Amino acid sequence: MPGAPPRRTEPQRRGRFQPEPDEPDRDEPQHRTGQQPAVAPRTTKRPLDAEPPPTAASAKPTPPPAKPDDEFDDYDERVDDEDVDEESPAREWLVMTSQLAVGAVGGAALWLGFQWLWRFMPLAALGVALVVITALVWIVRRIRHSDDLQTTVVTVLVGLFVTVSPAALLLLGR
């Protein structure tokens, strides 16, 4: 087109804080009448996090860096080490192993108890099974401090295995 400006082959690079020429400056007031302000808008902006230029009143002499005090460095490291209250890996393994042992012994005792209950009092076994499964879910939620679906489903399945599998074995044995 004859009246159109010529096309540029390379895009014009702008600085990070320079506004586009068609974009109004955000700091300048907008006029409703469509007239341009009497003062020309700024073309560059200072970043918000930049420090203002120093003035004679604000210029302070900077003190020299302090020498490290070797006497207290060792004390600080000891205090930091004492503040950290982490359990040792051996203690964590011991706790996990003891929980596993208590769970296995408790599960075996429940299974044997339900084997007897299903054989001699099947209706009572059904009611006790519901109570035991509910108690297992409650205990696991208290221990794990969690109530996610996966934990609940696994706990219910384990409870069903411990309480109902003796009944299934009795039915298969008849």
Side-chain angles (χ1 to χ4, degrees):
M1 293 187 151
R7 261 190 171 171
R8 296 184 184 158
T9 55
E10 287 185 25
Q12 182 179 2
R13 295 185 183 201
R14 301 218 163 264
R16 181 175 169 187
F17 299 106
Q18 292 178 351
E20 294 291 326
D22 296 344
E23 177 183 353
D25 193 4
R26 292 183 186 135
D27 294 338
E28 296 296 326
Q30 299 292 323
H31 296 283
R32 293 184 183 173
T33 59
Q35 297 175 352
Q36 293 295 329
V39 180
R42 296 187 311 205
T43 57
T44 61
K45 293 183 180 180
R46 191 177 80 226
L48 296 175
D49 58 344
E51 295 181 15
T55 61
S58 69
K60 298 179 189 175
T62 57
K67 293 181 181 178
D69 192 3
D70 293 334
E71 180 181 345
F72 296 109
D73 284 344
D74 196 20
Y75 176 75
D76 292 339
E77 290 173 6
R78 281 182 290 169
V79 169
D80 291 341
D81 291 342
E82 291 171 1
D83 288 343
V84 177
D85 189 26
E86 294 181 12
E87 295 183 14
S88 68
R91 178 171 161 74
E92 291 179 10
W93 277 103
L94 181 66
V95 168
M96 187 187 75
T97 306
S98 63
Q99 286 178 348
L100 180 67
V102 167
V105 169
L110 277 174
W111 194 86
L112 290 173
F114 273 98
Q115 187 178 19
W116 182 84
L117 271 175
W118 283 111
R119 185 172 298 177
F120 296 108
M121 293 184 269
L123 288 177
L126 183 62
V128 174
L130 293 173
V131 171
V132 166
I133 292 171
T134 304
L136 281 174
V137 170
W138 183 79
I139 289 169
V140 168
R141 284 185 177 187
R142 297 292 263 174
I143 289 173
R144 294 211 43 204
H145 301 289
S146 161
D147 59 347
D148 60 318
L149 183 64
Q150 181 181 5
T151 303
T152 304
V153 168
V154 169
T155 305
V156 168
L157 289 176
V158 168
L160 283 172
F161 175 77
V162 168
T163 59
V164 178
S165 68
L169 289 175
L170 281 175
L171 289 174
L172 289 175
R174 287 190 181 177

